[in-house]
Amino acid sequence: MTNGAAMRQRLLREIPLLSEAGGEDHGETAGSGEPLRLAVLGDSAAAGVGAPNHQVALAGQTADTLAVLTGRALSWRVTARSGATARTIRRDLVPRLTDPHTQWRPDIVLLVVGVNDAMRLRPPAAFRRDVALLVATIRSHLGTPVPVLLAGLPPVSRFPLLPTPLRQLLGIYARRLDHQLHRLARPEKDVFHLPVGSLPIYRPDFFAEDKFHPGPAGYRAWGRILGMHAATVLEYSEMT
């Protein structure tokens, strides 16, 4: 095992285990018209680790921003698991995107993936294939080519928990995986990469107590960025 891999394994064992967001894993926003159905699919950030409930975590914050900008009512649901990678999301979580009891099916899917693949040093080309297969599996399961939004990876190199030099190593690696998400989205119809932008990661209240996941303030900032990007995607999609 290389020194970098050994450091990574030790870090994975040392990250404090915070719970996923509690309460209901779905919700609705005010707005006009038939609710737009948004599925938030992915890893611990999608699962709201570091937040007390999903309303103040990534799903609720993104939905609130998207509803304000579009004027649409939103119905949102979370299908996520802490520690999930692109491969485990495809295997374990995609079947849960729909609810056979309520007939709920998403109109748009926000996919949050990549940090765990970076932590495991998944080769960039393999990661891109994993995500391409994941997108294809989502569409096969839903039976329709709904827009899939690929959330850009956050700046891992600035996560306070990570020690030097591992912080720099994983930061570079995360940027490489984010570049693969960007490359994947460019030729694919209805697949969009949403850059993370300038997250206020320097704020003392951005992170949860584990110094690895966002807290409510961090999710609010990130959700606003994703909601703004999603609103632009929806406007583009309606014009084409």
Side-chain angles (χ1 to χ4, degrees), residues 37-202:
R37 297 181 297 272
L38 168 69
V40 180
L41 173 70
D43 57 22
S44 56
V49 170
N53 57 69
H54 286 291
Q55 188 61 55
V56 298
L58 193 63
Q61 299 287 359
T62 301
D64 285 346
T65 298
L66 185 55
V68 168
L69 292 178
T70 62
R72 294 278 303 273
L74 258 80
S75 170
W76 56 267
R77 297 177 68 94
V78 176
T79 303
R81 187 175 67 197
S82 184
T85 64
R87 287 180 292 176
T88 60
I89 291 170
R90 178 176 63 86
R91 184 189 67 206
D92 302 331
L93 300 182
V94 169
R96 293 163 45 194
L97 276 176
T98 54
D99 187 340
H101 300 293
T102 63
Q103 304 302 310
W104 194 94
R105 303 177 68 83
D107 301 309
I108 186 168
V109 176
L110 172 62
L111 178 59
V112 185
V113 65
V115 170
N116 292 312
D117 291 274
M119 295 288 287
R120 288 161 177 77
L121 302 181
R122 182 71 171 150
F127 174 71
R128 183 180 175 185
R129 291 193 299 270
D130 292 342
V131 177
L133 185 55
L134 171 54
V135 171
T137 304
I138 290 170
R139 289 177 163 172
S140 176
H141 177 71
L142 297 179
T144 181
V146 303
V148 177
L149 313 182
L150 308 177
L153 270 68
V156 174
S157 63
R158 298 175 65 185
F159 285 12
L161 176 72
L162 302 178
T164 303
L166 188 60
R167 179 185 300 183
Q168 287 74 22
L169 170 66
L170 292 179
I172 292 170
Y173 215 85
R175 287 195 295 272
R176 289 176 178 172
L177 298 195
D178 190 57
H179 180 64
Q180 296 302 317
L181 295 179
H182 176 69
R183 289 186 61 195
L184 174 65
R186 289 176 61 188
E188 286 283 346
K189 180 176 175 57
D190 291 330
V191 178
F192 302 87
H193 176 249
L194 310 187
V196 73
S198 299
L199 282 176
I201 205 165
Y202 55 86

